[in-house]
Amino acid sequence: MATVLIWRRFPRLSRVTTFSTTAKCKAESGSNKSNQKKEENPETANTGTEPVATIQLLNPLDYKVLYNPSAYAKSRAASQQHAARNSGQALGDTFTSPGTTQVRHTFGTTSPQALPPIGNALPKPESKPLLEQTISAPRPAAQTKEEAKKEKTEMHDSKEDPRVFQKGRPEYRSLSYKFEPVETLPLEEGDLILHSVAICKGNQSPETITDYFRKLSRLPAEQHAALVSELRFNTLCRSAVKNIRLISTSDLIDILKACIRLVVPPTHPLLNACENEFCRRAWDMNLDQLLLVADCWRCLERSVPSYLSILFSYANMHWKHLTLPQFVQLIYIIGEGRRSPADLMQKVERMILKYLDSFTLEEVGAICLGLFKSLSGISDHTMRKIADRVSLQMEDMSTYALVNVLKMLRYARMDHLPLLKELGKVIPARIPTINAQGIMHIALTCSSIHYFDEGIMAAVAMSLPSKVTYCRSKDAAKFLWSFGCLDYEPPNEEEFYSSLIGQMHRKLHEFRKFPEHLLTGLLGLAFVKRFPEELIDYALRDEFIQKTRSSKYELKKDLFTLGKSVEIECPSYQGNRLPPRFYEEVSKLIFSFAEQEIYVRPEIVEATSLLESMLGGPEYVKNHMILPHTRSSDLEVHLAMDGHPIPFNLKDPIADKKLKDIGVSLTDDLMTQLIKGRSNSQSPMEMENEARTHGQEGGEEARTPRVGDRAALSGGALIAGARLQVEPKLGHCLEAPLSLTLNQQPQGVKLAIQVSNRNHYCFCSKRLLGLHCLKRRQLQQLGYVVVELPFWEWFPLLKRTRSEKLSYLHYKVFNPAPLSRAG
């Protein structure tokens, strides 16, 4: 008997802020404040329900991982078949797409596997063990109506829910299997059939065999498991296999339907024989029969890649003759089989556009779900047409169908503002009635396309704590990622985050199988300055790192980001850390990528070259990644206390080259402009013309800056419409504005100049995304002054004159406001 230890303590949570150094102490204290109570017991916060007991299982239950294809819904038809069915795969080849794995509890009696002990995870001796599982206190036998309704809402039937679209047209009755109640066969009649099978020893005619299957499948559901293991039933199955070529196609389909009702295991020998026979007959069957049989295999949870290949080839040959219901059912089969036949998918878009206005809204959702599950890409044009249709009729669309459209929108990485705005009007009121998995897909879609709608995210946050115990490990991780990515902390932030972190602890055993989910959640937390030390300690241990190497995802960069963020923002952390060799390995990969993809971007190259011209050469500017784990570049500049630029990039190979001596002769008038500003007697155009007559090379419209050029701009202020561009001889240092005062350390100030782009911000806004908030926060902690060249200012300037760009950069570098805060 396993030893059970009961703890009343919620796992420790550290939070780092720039305003208070007591956050960690408060999180660990024994205070009775309300916020602390929420952290310690998230399930009972603001619910008024019974308390929660946290139980550490020294021998945790064994868990079996199954693929559950859909996100959520309310339908629970055929739940008995689900519960009794053995583990099975989808129709096609085994494939699990990102973010679609569901974990179910399987209570076995054989040697349960326990997680290895954490060891010296945390420095404090009073810390409680990490591997805890929290379970709700036993509920009374008689549930309240509200509890029963809530549980029903959270339930999801992965077999029946995606098939709701089939209820919209009678034509689907001939294309799909229907889970419908049938007249129950008396037990006595079932015994007579089995007795007849035993006497005849399986020598019945093909028609009799089929009739026996039909009748036996009508026995009460509670008798099905016993029947399937019955020796006489197996005799009937062997008889069917023996006579299978003599059984008509329609009768063979009826036998398949009977197997569905009886919940015959997907690996049963009878089903092996049926699959082979249907593959042999496929080209003699019509499309309705082919689709119906494929649907039966789906209901049996049997993988039939060979049969699907024949079906897809048949459909590819006759695709012009597909009716609307046949086409939708085909896309459904493609999705459930997780297969995307390339030759057929080339024609799918034409069919979508052909029938788009005739589809029901449920059929639109089914098509999107099928494309999403099979990882079938479609053109932006087709996706926008679908989004146009949905945005006009969203209020009439079921939430399930709408979420399926959002999944495909996310997969296509497409922003569709009319749909997103309508979503903000329709979905917040529905959030409380949607289950945890559906809400997760809504939040994840918003974060994936970088769309922030506070109404949607606040509704999600308020609804989630009461649903958190229904979250899978993936759901909890995706919620944390979504809120962190959008850098949004909701009004109920403490309750929201403590409940999700608690669920991450309860689902810790699942991260052995899906390590990517733990890193996803921890990075989302890091974006908003939250660092649960026990989970981080587990993620950085050697055993977990080895798990990440066997994942189908590349997780090295995520580990790198997490490890370095902890080093910078959690100086008191004493748990596991990544080894130096790991940092070296990943840094090399990141730098190699940056040299090919980031440093060479036109907006960064232009800014680098102009800064070199302005400050005195490449030794004054370094285009690199100050924080490689944030995966974006910076232009580093050092300024002395008096505002002069300091050369520091001496190892840059460009800086070692001899600079070309290019400049202009300075007249008295030009020197006056440098010292006193714009002359009262000259217009901007006159000054520009004078600069040209004194040997300026390339002209004001030059688009490629010259390395080694310098510019001194008047007064340091950005003068709108300024045209002056002056290039002094080498050897003279650029003077900073006389009005500049620096409050800094004696060695000066280090600038980290960010050349941002649209991908750093939320869609159609100036709201910085979580990763880039983290980067700027950490740069400041390391002593840098962050200066941004925002894309909405810098990108338009790239098309303007050289003097305008230099004037803008001069203002940004020597602007007193940010520099006065350094030191």
Side-chain angles (χ1 to χ4, degrees):
M1 181 175 180
T3 303
V4 179
L5 302 178
I6 297 181
W7 303 97
R8 303 296 297 178
R9 179 182 178 273
F10 189 77
R12 182 160 60 114
L13 170 67
S14 293
R15 184 179 182 191
V16 178
T17 68
T18 57
F19 304 102
S20 173
T21 60
T22 62
K24 180 179 177 183
C25 296
K26 289 181 180 179
E28 296 174 358
S29 69
S31 171
N32 291 323
K33 294 181 180 180
S34 58
N35 286 344
Q36 181 68 9
K37 288 181 180 179
K38 291 177 184 178
E39 283 190 285
E40 291 180 349
N41 203 348
E43 265 93 9
T44 60
N46 296 333
T47 62
T49 59
E50 295 179 350
V52 171
T54 304
I55 297 181
Q56 181 195 15
L57 299 178
L58 301 184
N59 292 301
L61 297 171
D62 192 18
Y63 283 79
K64 183 171 288 186
V65 179
L66 302 181
Y67 186 86
N68 196 341
S70 201
Y72 75 102
K74 299 180 182 179
S75 173
R76 297 183 66 184
S79 60
Q80 289 180 338
Q81 286 88 341
H82 254 292
R85 192 172 303 278
N86 291 343
S87 171
Q89 293 295 334
L91 273 172
D93 298 326
T94 302
F95 178 78
T96 304
S97 59
T100 53
T101 306
Q102 175 157 345
V103 177
R104 300 179 187 171
H105 294 253
T106 302
F107 298 95
T109 58
T110 59
S111 61
Q113 297 176 352
L115 278 174
I118 283 292
N120 299 323
L122 295 173
K124 296 195 175 184
E126 68 272 18
S127 297
K128 298 295 189 294
L130 171 61
L131 303 181
E132 298 177 353
Q133 293 183 348
T134 302
I135 62 174
S136 298
R139 296 181 179 180
Q143 283 187 325
T144 65
K145 290 183 178 180
E146 185 177 348
E147 289 174 333
K149 182 179 179 181
K150 178 180 178 182
E151 185 172 347
K152 183 176 180 180
T153 300
E154 294 296 330
M155 292 299 292
H156 163 63
D157 190 327
S158 64
K159 205 159 48 178
E160 188 69 6
D161 293 337
R163 303 157 65 84
V164 175
F165 73 93
Q166 296 171 350
K167 299 177 181 178
R169 298 180 191 270
E171 294 91 335
Y172 288 113
R173 296 189 66 86
S174 63
L175 306 176
S176 60
Y177 176 81
K178 294 297 180 184
F179 290 95
E180 295 177 334
V182 295
E183 183 181 356
T184 302
L185 185 75
L187 295 179
E188 295 79 7
E189 190 170 344
D191 287 337
L192 290 175
I193 291 173
L194 294 174
H195 182 68
S196 176
V197 170
I199 292 176
C200 297
K201 297 182 180 180
N203 293 322
Q204 295 88 356
S205 67
E207 294 77 11
T208 302
I209 292 172
T210 304
D211 186 57
Y212 283 174
F213 272 101
R214 291 193 192 102
K215 291 180 177 179
L216 290 174
S217 67
R218 289 164 41 207
L219 285 170
E222 60 269 16
Q223 301 295 323
H224 290 173
L227 174 66
V228 172
S229 61
E230 167 74 48
L231 181 61
R232 292 172 294 179
F233 179 77
N234 288 329
T235 301
L236 179 63
C237 291
R238 287 195 298 271
S239 179
V241 172
K242 178 181 177 181
N243 295 278
I244 197 164
R245 294 207 173 186
L246 302 176
I247 301 174
S248 67
T249 298
S250 59
D251 284 349
L252 196 57
I253 292 175
D254 282 348
I255 291 177
L256 215 54
K257 291 179 178 179
C259 290
I260 296 172
R261 286 192 290 271
L262 292 171
V263 198
V264 173
T267 56
H268 196 282
L270 174 60
L271 298 183
N272 295 340
C274 287
E275 180 186 350
N276 293 334
E277 184 62 18
F278 278 120
C279 287
R280 190 183 69 83
R281 299 187 189 189
W283 292 103
D284 297 323
M285 297 162 60
N286 59 48
L287 186 56
D288 281 10
Q289 290 176 321
L290 289 170
L291 290 170
L292 174 57
V293 171
D295 197 62
C296 289
W297 292 130
R298 167 68 190 117
C299 296
L300 286 161
E301 296 185 351
R302 181 179 171 89
S303 178
V304 287
S306 298
Y307 179 84
L308 288 185
S309 294
I310 298 172
L311 168 62
F312 297 153
S313 296
Y314 188 103
N316 190 45
M317 291 179 61
H318 301 87
W319 72 275
K320 291 184 178 180
H321 306 293
L322 290 176
T323 64
L324 186 153
Q326 287 175 336
F327 173 71
V328 178
Q329 182 69 13
L330 178 64
I331 297 300
Y332 164 76
I333 293 298
I334 288 173
E336 295 305 303
R338 283 23 178 218
R339 303 191 61 194
S340 179
D343 52 349
L344 181 60
M345 295 311 295
Q346 295 172 1
K347 302 162 185 174
V348 163
E349 287 195 49
R350 280 177 274 178
M351 296 294 288
I352 292 175
L353 296 175
K354 175 182 176 181
Y355 289 124
L356 184 57
D357 293 334
S358 302
F359 291 138
T360 66
L361 292 173
E362 293 300 319
E363 287 172 333
V364 172
I367 287 170
C368 287
L369 182 61
L371 296 174
F372 175 78
K373 286 183 176 181
S374 60
L375 302 178
S376 303
I378 58 175
S379 67
D380 287 353
H381 172 73
T382 302
M383 191 64 232
R384 289 196 181 279
K385 288 290 185 180
I386 294 174
D388 289 341
R389 166 92 192 271
V390 171
S391 63
L392 296 175
Q393 298 178 281
M394 191 179 294
E395 287 188 358
D396 302 324
M397 197 172 197
S398 74
T399 304
Y400 184 77
L402 176 57
V403 169
N404 290 336
V405 174
L406 295 180
K407 290 178 184 179
M408 195 58 199
L409 196 72
R410 181 176 89 223
Y411 180 73
R413 303 291 295 179
M414 176 178 290
D415 50 76
H416 189 280
L417 201 54
L419 183 148
L420 294 171
K421 286 185 175 181
E422 190 66 18
L423 187 72
K425 298 175 183 177
V426 172
I427 209 65
R430 296 190 190 183
I431 292 292
T433 64
I434 307 173
N435 79 358
Q437 294 180 41
I439 298 174
M440 180 274 289
H441 282 293
I442 294 169
L444 184 59
T445 297
C446 290
S447 66
S448 294
I449 60 179
H450 298 169
Y451 180 72
F452 176 71
D453 184 299
E454 187 168 8
I456 295 176
M457 300 305 289
V460 170
M462 297 304 295
S463 179
L464 192 63
S466 64
K467 298 173 178 284
V468 76
T469 54
Y470 295 97
C471 288
R472 303 163 296 174
S473 59
K474 183 186 77 171
D475 299 327
K478 297 296 187 182
F479 277 123
L480 292 172
W481 170 266
S482 299
F483 278 72
C485 177
L486 298 175
D487 190 40
Y488 178 62
E489 297 202 29
N492 64 331
E493 61 177 285
E494 293 303 328
E495 180 187 21
F496 174 78
Y497 281 111
S498 62
S499 65
L500 282 172
I501 293 171
Q503 187 68 357
M504 295 279 281
H505 277 269
R506 288 188 288 272
K507 296 294 183 179
L508 195 64
H509 55 277
E510 295 181 13
F511 298 132
R512 291 180 298 171
K513 182 73 173 180
F514 308 107
E516 63 273 9
H517 296 335
L518 179 58
L519 294 179
T520 295
L522 290 177
L523 286 177
L525 286 166
F527 293 162
V528 292
K529 300 184 292 185
R530 292 177 183 268
F531 297 88
E533 294 185 7
E534 293 176 349
L535 291 176
I536 291 170
D537 180 78
Y538 181 77
L540 299 183
R541 61 188 299 185
D542 291 340
E543 181 184 349
F544 185 82
I545 294 172
Q546 292 303 318
K547 293 287 185 184
T548 65
R549 296 184 187 276
S550 60
S551 172
K552 62 184 176 182
Y553 302 103
E554 175 51 65
L555 301 177
K556 290 179 180 178
K557 294 179 181 178
D558 289 345
L559 276 170
F560 184 50
T561 302
L562 178 64
K564 282 296 183 182
S565 295
V566 170
E567 283 188 9
I568 295 171
E569 300 204 56
C570 301
S572 62
Y573 172 77
Q574 297 180 22
N576 287 307
R577 295 183 184 274
L578 296 174
R581 185 180 302 175
F582 182 92
Y583 286 136
E584 294 174 5
E585 177 187 351
V586 182
S587 295
K588 185 177 180 180
L589 293 174
I590 291 176
F591 287 137
S592 176
F593 172 79
E595 290 173 356
Q596 300 175 27
E597 302 290 338
I598 298 179
Y599 301 155
V600 296
R601 289 175 181 168
E603 67 273 16
I604 295 177
V605 171
E606 181 87 342
T608 304
S609 184
L610 288 170
L611 284 170
E612 290 172 353
S613 298
M614 187 178 80
L615 299 176
E619 64 269 26
Y620 292 92
V621 183
K622 187 172 184 179
N623 177 12
H624 70 129
M625 289 182 172
I626 299 175
L627 301 177
H629 63 279
T630 62
R631 312 172 203 178
S632 56
S633 68
D634 316 270
L635 302 181
E636 185 172 358
V637 172
H638 293 186
L639 299 179
M641 290 183 65
D642 59 0
H644 283 74
I646 301 174
F648 70 98
N649 189 23
L650 304 178
K651 295 183 179 181
D652 193 314
I654 299 177
D656 294 335
K657 297 179 181 179
K658 184 177 180 179
L659 299 177
K660 186 177 180 180
D661 189 4
I662 299 174
V664 297
S665 300
L666 297 181
T667 65
D668 291 340
D669 289 335
L670 291 178
M671 289 298 295
T672 300
Q673 296 304 310
L674 291 174
I675 298 171
K676 296 183 178 180
R678 182 181 296 180
S679 169
N680 293 329
S681 61
Q682 284 185 304
S683 67
M685 185 60 69
E686 289 172 338
M687 289 191 295
E688 179 182 5
N689 292 337
E690 183 173 350
R692 281 195 183 132
T693 61
H694 287 81
Q696 179 178 349
E697 296 186 5
E700 69 179 30
E701 298 300 331
R703 291 295 178 261
T704 305
R706 296 182 297 276
V707 175
D709 291 358
R710 297 180 178 194
L713 304 177
S714 62
L718 180 60
I719 302 174
R723 300 292 186 196
L724 179 62
Q725 178 178 329
V726 184
E727 301 174 356
K729 294 284 186 178
L730 290 175
H732 298 279
C733 185
L734 178 70
E735 294 289 342
L738 298 178
S739 60
L740 180 62
T741 58
L742 298 179
N743 176 21
Q744 58 193 359
Q745 299 296 328
Q747 66 269 24
V749 62
K750 297 182 293 183
L751 302 183
I753 301 174
Q754 314 282 297
V755 184
S756 66
N757 61 58
R758 288 174 178 81
N759 289 333
H760 295 179
Y761 290 85
C762 292
F763 176 61
C764 288
S765 80
K766 296 180 181 179
R767 184 186 187 88
L768 202 63
L769 293 172
L771 175 61
H772 302 285
C773 289
L774 172 143
K775 174 183 177 179
R776 297 185 186 192
R777 186 174 73 235
Q778 292 179 2
L779 284 170
Q780 291 169 351
Q781 286 188 248
L782 294 177
Y784 285 87
V785 173
V786 178
V787 176
E788 182 183 10
L789 309 183
F791 70 88
W792 57 86
E793 293 177 359
W794 181 240
F795 279 42
L797 272 175
L798 294 177
K799 300 178 181 179
R800 305 297 293 273
T801 65
R802 179 181 176 84
S803 61
E804 287 176 295
K805 288 180 280 191
L806 285 168
S807 180
Y808 173 80
L809 290 175
H810 183 270
Y811 170 74
K812 282 290 186 178
V813 171
F814 296 109
N815 182 10
L819 297 180
S820 63
R821 296 193 296 268

